[in-house]
Amino acid sequence: MDIQLLFTAAILGIIEGLTEFLPVSSTGHLIIVGDLLGYTDDTSKVFKIVIQFAAILAVCWDYRERLIKVASGLRTEPASQRFVGMLFVAFLPAAVLGLMFHSTIKSLLFNPLTVATALVVGGFIILYVEKRAYHPRVETVEAMSWGDALKVGFAQALAMIPGTSRSGSTIMGGMIFGLSRKTAAEFSFFLAIPTMFAATVYDLYKNWSLLRIEDVPVFAVGSIASFVAAMWAVKSFIRFISNHTFIVFAWYRIVFGLIVLATWQLDLVSWSEP
């Protein structure tokens, strides 16, 4: 058993869990840190898919009472049917565009330099959104309209560009469209479940030939680390946004992205290029 590989798996799992639901791009962090640690082979592609799914399971567990209530009332409760319907509407844009451009984006944009650029640009967008006059008209997920769900869905589709951040796109998009911070964040969490589940199934199908039994310990370590870190991150994030803006995440993105670009420009790190 390769201890160094297990250590790498634990690090990437923690990073995935901590960043999946923050507006800082978990995929971007996995690409950059994976490149830095030299974990970029074919197995790493499947590994990153698996640990993202583990983070989604953490949200399912954290919101299990809400999800069980929705599932149990799906056949008879209009509120549950409407909630699931809105998630489906919000899921559609990313699903359709993902099927159309998934392979192209993976081959051209999944590299540290693209991620770093997207981190910086996204950081400035968050600063812009936070500087606008903010007057939310939707205070709960239940109060969202079908139009709100569709607009958030199109915002989520922007996250197909690595480094953009799925949660960042949906939360910032939700705020621009009139959702409160907490409502935008919670809807982003719920929308992550069908979106990431579908992405996981699709990626595993496309990369099925890369799965090997000897990789199970590595996947297990990464998944456990991701699940635990995501559990902590989700609860902490909801508490944080109750009293703070997203400006700290914006500056983190900008600084992190600029550091990666600077180390590339100064030839301090041999990053993988497009």
Side-chain angles (χ1 to χ4, degrees), residues 4 16 39 54-55 66-67 78 86 97 110 116 124 145 153 159 181 188 197 213 218-219 223 235 252 262 268:
Q4 180 62 43
E16 162 60 27
Y39 190 45
R66 174 77 172 274
L67 294 175
M86 285 201 302
L97 294 173
F110 271 58
F124 281 113
S145 68
R181 295 180 194 281
S188 175
F197 180 79
I213 189 66
V218 176
F219 286 15
S223 296
K235 294 178 180 179
Y252 169 79
L268 297 176

Side-chain angles (χ1 to χ4, degrees), residues 2-240:
D2 190 336
I3 300 300
Q4 180 62 43
L5 187 55
L6 292 178
F7 182 67
T8 297
I11 291 176
L12 292 176
I14 292 171
I15 290 173
E16 162 60 27
L18 292 179
T19 59
E20 178 62 47
F21 305 103
L22 305 183
V24 297
S25 179
S26 62
T27 299
H29 279 71
L30 291 179
I31 291 173
I32 289 175
V33 178
D35 196 81
L36 195 61
L37 296 176
Y39 190 45
T40 58
D41 60 8
D42 288 340
T43 302
S44 72
K45 299 175 183 178
V46 183
F47 171 80
K48 291 168 185 175
I49 297 168
V50 171
I51 63 173
Q52 285 182 326
F53 184 65
I56 297 303
L57 290 180
V59 169
C60 292
W61 178 255
D62 201 38
Y63 284 92
R64 61 190 181 279
E65 292 183 4
R66 174 77 172 274
L67 294 175
I68 291 173
K69 181 179 179 181
V70 169
S72 62
L74 194 54
R75 297 182 62 180
T76 58
E77 294 291 334
S80 296
Q81 295 167 355
R82 185 174 184 276
F83 177 75
V84 172
M86 285 201 302
L87 288 181
F88 179 74
V89 167
F91 164 75
L92 279 179
V96 174
L97 294 173
L99 287 173
M100 293 172 62
F101 302 110
H102 178 272
S103 297
T104 301
I105 290 174
K106 282 251 179 179
S107 61
L108 298 179
L109 301 182
F110 271 58
N111 59 80
L113 301 184
T114 299
V115 168
T117 302
L119 284 172
V120 174
V121 173
F124 281 113
I125 291 175
I126 292 176
L127 290 178
Y128 167 74
V129 172
E130 288 290 6
K131 294 298 181 182
R132 297 169 68 250
Y134 181 52
H135 304 293
R137 58 177 176 78
V138 181
E139 295 292 345
T140 65
V141 172
E142 290 76 14
M144 289 176 59
S145 68
W146 295 98
D148 292 330
L150 183 61
K151 287 185 284 187
V152 171
F154 276 107
Q156 176 178 247
L158 295 174
M160 289 190 296
I161 301 173
T164 302
S165 173
R166 190 206 61 80
S167 60
S169 296
T170 52
I171 294 172
M172 290 299 110
M175 289 175 61
I176 290 174
F177 302 138
L179 275 60
S180 68
R181 295 180 194 281
K182 186 175 180 181
T183 300
E186 287 191 344
F187 191 70
S188 175
F189 294 163
F190 290 126
L191 183 55
I193 297 172
T195 302
M196 296 306 298
F197 180 79
T200 299
V201 171
Y202 181 73
D203 272 328
L204 285 177
Y205 168 75
K206 297 284 287 187
N207 296 282
W208 188 256
S209 61
L210 300 178
L211 294 174
R212 302 180 305 174
I213 189 66
E214 55 264 37
D215 293 323
V216 170
V218 176
F219 286 15
V221 169
S223 296
I224 293 171
S226 177
F227 182 90
V228 174
M231 283 283 292
W232 179 84
V234 169
K235 294 178 180 179
S236 299
F237 185 50
I238 289 295
R239 287 197 300 268
F240 179 86

